[in-house]
Amino acid sequence: MKKKSFIALAACAAVALWAGTPGLAQASWPDKPIRLLVGFSPGGPTDNVARILAESMSVQLGQPVVVENKAGAAGNIAAAALTQAANDGYTLLYNTSSIVIAPWVYKTPGFDPVKDFAPVGLTAAVPLVLATTAGLPAKTPGELVALLKAEPGKYNYASSGTGAIEHLTAAQLLKLVGAQATHVPYKGTAPAQVDLIAGATQFTTTTLNTVIAPVQKGTLHALAVTSRERSPVLPDVPTISETLAPGFESLAWQGIVAPAGTPAPVLQQLNAAINAALASDAVQQKLRAQGTLILGGTVDDYAKYIRDESARWGKVVEQAGVQAR
């Protein structure tokens, strides 16, 4: 079944389920604007996708879905803020994979992704790109590894924050190839990229939709992508699996969660709005232009996905030896 058809069917199924569920929520919700918390800076890759979906979901729900940025601690600040919100469906979190990574990295992240959140829907995934500042004398993944091994600890790599998927992906890759570099965390992807372009840091593994523009301008150089297959947006850039580590894959996935205890009819209506947005031609064109993979599915699908990814990233954190201060 084609992906777009699956998303459309999921949206229809969610609408049918919600419509057949008795209760006050289905008759009155929503009757005011909905806040969508984003744990990263405005203009960053997560923020961009969240705003595209929020615009379309506003149409589906008949109420504004307003993005509110709460950047910091690799998304933990926004996630912790959601635990303090009422479970009425009017405050949501546009989450990334950080919600399942943080409990393995931080001693007190401020939330439990299973106990504190009600899954709403999986939205998208973005491959990462191993990218370097333009002045670095390494034009292939192998050349970068050779450079790092020649002078251990001399070079720095940037990420959107300690424990973020950019950090873990780079740390895991360095461990696999036996190289060393110093991690420099930032409060979001956008400020990290500014310093990378300026040469304050030398390389990063960051989301594809972040690097498209600077790579095209020549201010950054893309060495490899972290998806199993090459991206149609950067077709000439090889994968990490092709060049350094066979079978390697790391994707920055995204979704929406609500506070635990949010009524099931509300979750189903939100899920229907997500899938309808993902099925629209306008949203698909915008996301694919950024190299974003379109996902979707049911509330239960997302609940299972969160559990599976939590187990997976727990192993990665342990193997990479990453721990926040």
Side-chain angles (χ1 to χ4, degrees):
M1 184 181 295
K2 294 183 178 179
K3 187 67 180 177
K4 185 173 178 181
S5 298
F6 172 78
I7 294 171
L9 285 173
C12 292
V15 170
L17 178 58
W18 169 80
T21 304
L24 180 61
Q26 68 185 53
S28 61
W29 191 93
D31 60 5
K32 63 180 181 180
I34 298 166
R35 290 195 306 154
L36 183 61
L37 306 181
V38 174
F40 301 92
S41 305
T46 304
D47 179 75
N48 287 339
V49 178
R51 290 178 187 276
I52 290 170
L53 289 175
E55 182 180 4
S56 182
M57 288 176 65
S58 296
V59 176
Q60 305 296 329
L61 295 168
Q63 290 288 343
V65 177
V66 182
V67 171
E68 183 177 319
N69 297 91
K70 289 184 175 292
N76 289 3
I77 292 175
L82 187 70
T83 67
Q84 304 303 311
N87 56 2
D88 55 9
Y90 289 105
T91 303
L92 309 172
L93 173 68
Y94 192 80
N95 69 274
T96 65
S97 40
S98 65
I99 66 165
V100 299
I101 293 172
W104 298 103
V105 175
Y106 292 84
K107 292 182 179 178
T108 54
F111 61 91
D112 183 306
V114 176
K115 294 180 180 179
D116 292 331
F117 302 145
V120 177
L122 186 63
T123 58
V126 185
L128 280 70
V129 176
L130 175 61
T132 65
T133 187
L136 197 70
K139 304 305 178 187
T140 68
E143 289 177 0
L144 176 62
V145 171
L147 196 67
L148 298 179
K149 287 184 174 181
E151 298 182 271
K154 175 182 177 180
Y155 298 98
N156 303 322
Y157 67 97
S159 81
S160 64
T162 299
I165 195 167
E166 297 99 326
H167 175 204
L168 288 181
T169 299
Q172 183 184 22
L173 185 58
L174 288 169
K175 191 171 185 65
L176 286 172
V177 300
Q180 296 179 22
T182 302
H183 175 229
V184 181
Y186 289 80
K187 291 184 177 180
T189 306
Q193 186 177 104
V194 171
D195 273 9
L196 181 64
I197 291 173
T201 57
Q202 288 73 53
F203 71 98
T204 189
T205 52
T206 190
T207 46
L208 175 59
N209 49 5
T210 302
V211 299
I212 292 174
V215 166
Q216 291 174 340
K217 291 177 182 177
T219 53
L220 290 179
H221 186 69
L223 302 187
V225 295
T226 63
S227 49
R228 290 289 180 89
E229 298 179 354
R230 295 192 182 197
S231 170
V233 177
L234 296 174
D236 296 329
V237 177
T239 67
I240 293 291
S241 183
E242 286 178 67
T243 55
L244 294 178
F248 186 91
E249 181 180 44
S250 181
L251 301 175
W253 53 266
Q254 305 167 4
I256 293 178
V257 294
T262 300
V266 171
L267 297 178
Q268 296 296 344
Q269 189 174 0
L270 285 166
N271 180 268
I274 291 171
N275 283 296
L278 292 172
S280 73
D281 290 335
V283 169
Q284 292 205 358
Q285 288 174 6
K286 290 177 182 178
L287 295 184
R288 285 175 176 157
Q290 300 178 14
T292 301
L293 307 175
I294 298 165
L295 302 177
T298 68
V299 170
D300 289 342
D301 290 338
Y302 194 32
K304 182 179 184 302
Y305 191 88
I306 288 174
R307 292 193 300 270
D308 291 348
E309 283 291 286
S310 178
R312 175 197 172 199
W313 283 106
K315 293 178 182 178
V316 172
V317 170
E318 182 180 0
Q319 291 170 357
V322 173
Q323 187 171 8
R325 295 177 181 177

